[in-house]
Amino acid sequence: MQHETQAQAAEMPRSEALDILTLKGIEHRYGRHRAVAGIDLSVRQGEVVCLLGPSGCGKTTLLRVVAGLEVLQAGDIALQGRSLGTPHVPPEQRNVGLAFQEAALFPHLSVLENVTFGLKALPSRQRRERALALLAQLGMDGHAASYPHTLSGGQQQRVALARALAPQPGLMLLDEPFSSLDARLRDRIRDDTLHVLKQQGAGGLLVTHDPEEAMFMADRIALMRDGHIVQTGTPRQLYCHPVDPFVVTFFGAVNELSGEVREGRVATAVGEVAAPGLTEGERAQVLVRPEALSVEALDEPQADHHSHILMAKLLGRTSLLHICAHGLGRESHLHARVPGVFLPEPGQPVALRLDPSQVFVFPAGAGAPHGEA
Ligand code: ATP
């Protein structure tokens, strides 16, 4: 129902004057292997953009090209209006901060010395003040005199982030900096990092393969596949107006149904859904997010819809219901995800309703989905 053309789902026109980083037509090869191609992307001052995508899609390559760790092969890069391509500008002259999965602190320097390392141009008092302020923002001011080997992985990562942010770079480049941390620590460090980035007003380009992390951190997401950007937009644009099945399924498993278009609609076991943009008689795939289904327990089965529960599992904040859906002469096994604890017994008759904003209809064969619910 929410099938929109790429043009409709595209971003609003952006003024290039506000962009801190612009990439145009970037292509990068390792020998004969083309890792990225046709990359157009921008980051504005104060904006966090996430490069999101499955393993091997080219996220790190793109970040390394921006950082200057790879020499630009094709296309244009401009940072704060300055072209970085030819001649090659080395990473330390790009006014970028780098943070990677591993903290890589200087082992022989204290936490404070690590953070002040890149601030040699400042008077020593100012250096110290800035470093301590950043360490405080990242919850590490109590460890200023400690050495890296005495810190946990999460603490080291906080220091590494403070060190990268201390010179107040125009752009922070972050490559999965939270991925080696356990879930609770990751949430906290992510949150602190986002606040520091926003407070500093730097632009940020963050690589992640985790859609939830991208939605948490990003003002805009560029979703990549096979070296290309499939869709760029706000988290809401990608989640609610995906341009193809890959985008839908990258943000979570879905129910996959199919049918033929009749009078602009496709009949499914949970009712008819609109198929705008598809032609009469065309085969369609209908992708239904598990949260698009609302489920009501019934005393008696409905006359024309004999849907019932097969299994119910508590997942914590939500319950996952396996449902045998009957309707319009069709039967489907569906997964519904409902808030809170709702665990009907197997065999319980239910009525199903669809939230059309989380149902997506595409021509059959329009890009391989990433996974089923
Ligand atoms: P991951 O999330 O697993 O880190 P990614 O999306 O960051 O993946 P890249 O690391 O950029 O992807 O890799 C893109 C492609 O380029 C992959 O096919 C990879 O095997 C290849 N590649 C990356 N680095 C090199 C290299 N130094 N030499 C040859 N091929 C490489």
Side-chain angles (χ1 to χ4, degrees):
M1 299 187 178
Q2 292 297 305
H3 180 205
E4 295 199 350
T5 64
Q6 184 143 7
Q8 283 172 304
E11 300 169 85
M12 298 293 287
R14 290 162 55 84
S15 158
E16 287 192 10
L18 299 171
D19 292 338
I20 191 165
L21 173 74
T22 24
L23 306 179
K24 288 195 180 140
I26 302 294
E27 178 172 320
H28 198 83
R29 291 173 183 266
Y30 297 105
R32 298 180 63 181
H33 176 67
R34 196 167 68 171
V36 295
I39 302 289
D40 295 332
L41 187 67
S42 59
V43 180
R44 281 185 176 178
Q45 176 112 32
E47 183 184 45
V48 176
V49 174
C50 279
L51 297 173
L52 174 67
S55 184
C57 71
K59 309 179 292 293
T60 294
T61 298
L62 192 53
L63 197 85
R64 288 176 60 83
V65 170
V66 175
L69 297 167
E70 300 286 344
V71 173
L72 181 68
Q73 297 174 353
D76 297 311
I77 302 183
L79 186 65
Q80 293 169 310
R82 171 189 177 209
S83 176
L84 299 180
T86 19
H88 177 72
V89 177
E92 62 278 10
Q93 290 172 20
R94 292 194 171 202
N95 188 22
V96 294
L98 302 175
F100 297 104
Q101 194 170 338
E102 299 305 327
L105 298 173
F106 302 118
H108 59 290
L109 297 183
S110 70
V111 163
L112 185 64
E113 288 162 347
N114 261 281
V115 180
T116 53
F117 185 82
L119 302 176
K120 299 230 164 65
L122 292 180
S124 77
R125 194 163 142 220
Q126 238 175 303
R127 276 209 310 254
R128 192 183 151 79
E129 277 172 8
R130 185 178 305 166
L132 286 174
L134 262 173
L135 286 168
Q137 279 180 288
L138 289 161
M140 286 300 292
D141 44 334
H143 296 269
S146 307
Y147 281 82
H149 71 275
T150 66
L151 304 177
S152 70
Q155 290 171 329
Q156 290 187 25
Q157 197 54 285
R158 286 170 187 264
V159 177
L161 286 162
R163 185 179 62 182
L165 285 158
Q168 300 184 321
L171 181 70
M172 268 298 285
L173 301 175
L174 306 119
D175 191 351
E176 309 247 15
F178 317 115
S179 61
S180 61
L181 309 173
D182 72 62
R184 278 183 57 199
L185 198 57
R186 186 168 61 227
D187 289 351
R188 277 200 7 233
I189 298 186
R190 247 181 353 208
D191 192 42
D192 288 344
T193 305
L194 182 62
H195 286 292
V196 176
L197 279 175
K198 288 294 174 190
Q199 196 236 330
Q200 284 212 350
L205 190 61
L206 169 74
V207 163
T208 180
H209 61 271
D210 175 354
E212 227 180 276
E213 176 161 298
M215 293 181 96
F216 181 86
M217 294 293 291
D219 298 297
R220 287 184 307 130
I221 295 172
L223 179 59
M224 296 180 67
R225 177 174 53 177
D226 298 337
H228 297 271
I229 293 178
V230 180
Q231 186 174 0
T232 307
T234 62
R236 183 176 175 169
Q237 281 171 326
L238 269 70
Y239 197 78
C240 298
H241 303 288
V243 296
D244 75 11
F246 171 77
V247 182
V248 181
T249 54
F250 198 81
F251 287 91
V254 297
N255 297 290
E256 202 187 335
L257 309 173
S258 60
E260 266 177 24
V261 179
R262 295 275 169 249
E263 295 174 8
R265 304 180 76 76
V266 182
T268 76
V270 252
E272 288 194 333
V273 297
L278 274 71
T279 52
E280 184 69 12
E282 187 175 3
R283 289 290 301 168
Q285 52 179 321
V286 180
L287 305 179
V288 178
R289 290 202 202 278
E291 68 267 29
L293 286 162
S294 65
V295 183
E296 185 194 344
L298 300 172
D299 294 336
E300 298 285 334
Q302 286 177 323
D304 51 345
H305 293 75
H306 305 286
S307 301
H308 61 272
I309 298 291
L310 295 170
M311 207 181 345
K313 302 271 186 192
L314 180 62
L315 301 183
R317 286 174 216 153
T318 59
S319 301
L320 182 70
L321 309 178
H322 297 245
I323 298 167
C324 181
H326 281 274
L328 303 178
R330 287 162 177 77
E331 180 180 310
S332 297
H333 179 140
L334 300 178
H335 289 176
R337 195 185 270 266
V338 298
V341 182
F342 179 55
L343 301 170
E345 291 296 322
Q348 166 72 52
V350 289
L352 301 175
R353 259 186 311 127
L354 272 184
D355 168 5
S357 72
Q358 292 303 325
V359 178
F360 308 98
V361 183
F362 298 99
H370 194 71
E372 284 179 52

